[in-house]
Amino acid sequence: MHTLILSISFSVAVSIFLKLARSGGIRVDQAIAVNYATAVALSLWLLRPPLDTLFQQPPAVWLILSLLGVLLPSVFLVMAAAVRRAGIVRSDTAQRLSLILPILAAFLVFHEALSGRKAIGIALALCALVCLLTRPRAASAAPAPVSAASDDGAQGTASRGWLVLLGVWAGYGCIDILFKQMARIGAGFTGSLLLSFALAGLLMGLWLLLRGTRWHARSLMSGILLGGLNFGNIYFYIRAHQSYPDNPTLVFAAMNIGVISIGTLVGAGLFRERLSALNMLGIGLALGAIVLLFPR
């Protein structure tokens, strides 16, 4: 059970890092680039993938790895924006609700049977997304007049809030589908995970170089911390599955419910995030959806 607790803690810690990064003067894109270099080093040290056959992957696997190389850093940037604009609670919940996409892929692509329990879970998940994506409006009896420009700016910010949360939901869902497809065609998980980190780090580094980035020492050093947290989440998640090889449902459900529950406590307690009744309803529906979407 300690592996699950550690994985949940690392996942929430990543969100806290992203929440604090801006106020700490950390440039998230540079931290993310170093994060993948750190993850590669930790993968080599702790997972010990078979290096002699590392590059002997089928063409389909290389296609998946290429997509992951683009999506992993991109979604990380979107997640950072979501944590800043929408808070830890809604960002983490949107990430966990992304499980609906691989579940739909299981029905539409992998031809898994749809039970009534899963159908109810999918409906609850969609309702939860609507509740979570609805921002509370500040009520005022006599609102101060605003200019057309400021009104347009406020509407633009709200629109971007919706977009980044939807980006988190869709991005993490697609990544999960790609990992499931990789496992389905028989790719070694440790080797493919190492290659995914390496490709993501390479593409992120090239993107920063092409932009003429001026390197920031604090951001680069903080990337080591971020990489440790990010890898710790994945590493202990794998260890949890190894600890419960005959009960993956326990790992899936406990991980998702644990992250949402602890994220709620951290967001409300540490950062004083204000949630509307509709947002709280969305969190409750999300927990119910996650329970229903996993088989007994």
Side-chain angles (χ1 to χ4, degrees):
M1 184 61 70
H2 71 281
T3 53
L4 268 174
I5 295 173
L6 286 170
S7 181
I8 292 169
S9 300
F10 276 116
S11 181
V12 175
V14 169
S15 294
I16 295 175
F17 176 95
L18 296 175
K19 180 74 173 180
L20 296 174
R22 188 175 185 181
S23 60
I26 295 171
R27 299 170 187 174
V28 175
D29 51 358
Q30 295 183 29
I32 290 173
V34 177
N35 146 76
Y36 287 116
T38 304
V40 167
L42 291 174
S43 297
L44 290 169
W45 177 36
L46 296 174
L47 299 183
R48 301 183 184 276
L51 299 180
D52 54 336
T53 59
L54 186 63
F55 296 100
Q56 298 176 10
Q57 306 286 353
V61 173
W62 282 113
L63 174 60
I64 294 172
L65 288 173
S66 300
L67 293 173
L68 285 171
V70 174
L71 280 175
L72 284 172
S74 300
V75 170
F76 224 145
L77 290 172
V78 173
M79 183 65 173
V83 169
R84 290 196 308 269
R85 294 173 181 169
I88 289 177
V89 177
R90 277 172 283 179
S91 300
D92 272 335
T93 307
Q95 177 185 350
R96 297 303 155 185
L97 281 173
S98 67
L99 288 170
I100 190 174
L101 293 179
I103 289 172
L104 287 174
F107 304 136
L108 302 177
V109 179
F110 305 119
H111 308 295
E112 181 180 338
L114 176 62
S115 66
R117 177 186 173 91
K118 290 183 179 179
I120 296 173
I122 291 172
L124 279 181
L126 292 174
C127 292
L129 278 176
V130 174
C131 294
L132 290 166
L133 291 173
T134 302
R135 285 179 172 271
R137 296 181 178 178
S140 176
V146 295
S147 66
S150 63
D151 185 59
D152 290 342
Q155 291 180 0
T157 300
S159 176
R160 288 192 297 272
W162 276 74
L163 289 175
V164 292
L165 283 174
L166 288 174
V168 168
W169 179 71
Y172 279 104
C174 291
I175 288 172
D176 198 11
I177 292 172
L178 289 172
F179 274 124
K180 287 179 182 293
Q181 179 66 13
M182 184 180 295
R184 183 171 177 263
I185 60 182
F189 181 77
T190 57
S192 60
L193 187 63
L194 172 62
L195 288 172
S196 298
F197 285 146
L199 285 172
L202 177 62
L203 291 175
M204 190 71 186
L206 289 174
W207 181 69
L208 289 172
L209 288 174
L210 290 174
R211 294 182 62 198
T213 298
R214 297 180 63 182
W215 302 104
H216 185 237
R218 180 185 297 179
S219 302
L220 295 175
M221 292 301 295
S222 68
I224 299 175
L225 173 61
L226 178 59
L229 296 175
N230 190 34
F231 178 83
N233 171 33
I234 298 172
Y235 174 72
F236 286 109
Y237 184 63
I238 295 171
R239 289 290 302 275
H241 274 293
Q242 293 172 343
S243 300
Y244 302 98
D246 299 324
N247 195 0
T249 300
L250 170 64
V251 179
F252 288 139
M255 179 67 185
N256 287 278
I257 292 174
V259 168
I260 292 175
S261 301
I262 295 179
T264 300
L265 294 175
V266 170
L270 184 60
F271 297 107
R272 298 292 188 263
E273 293 181 0
R274 300 180 63 181
L275 301 176
S276 68
L278 193 59
N279 296 148
M280 294 300 297
L281 175 61
I283 293 171
L285 291 175
L287 295 176
I290 289 170
V291 171
L292 288 173
L293 287 172
F294 289 110
R296 294 176 180 175

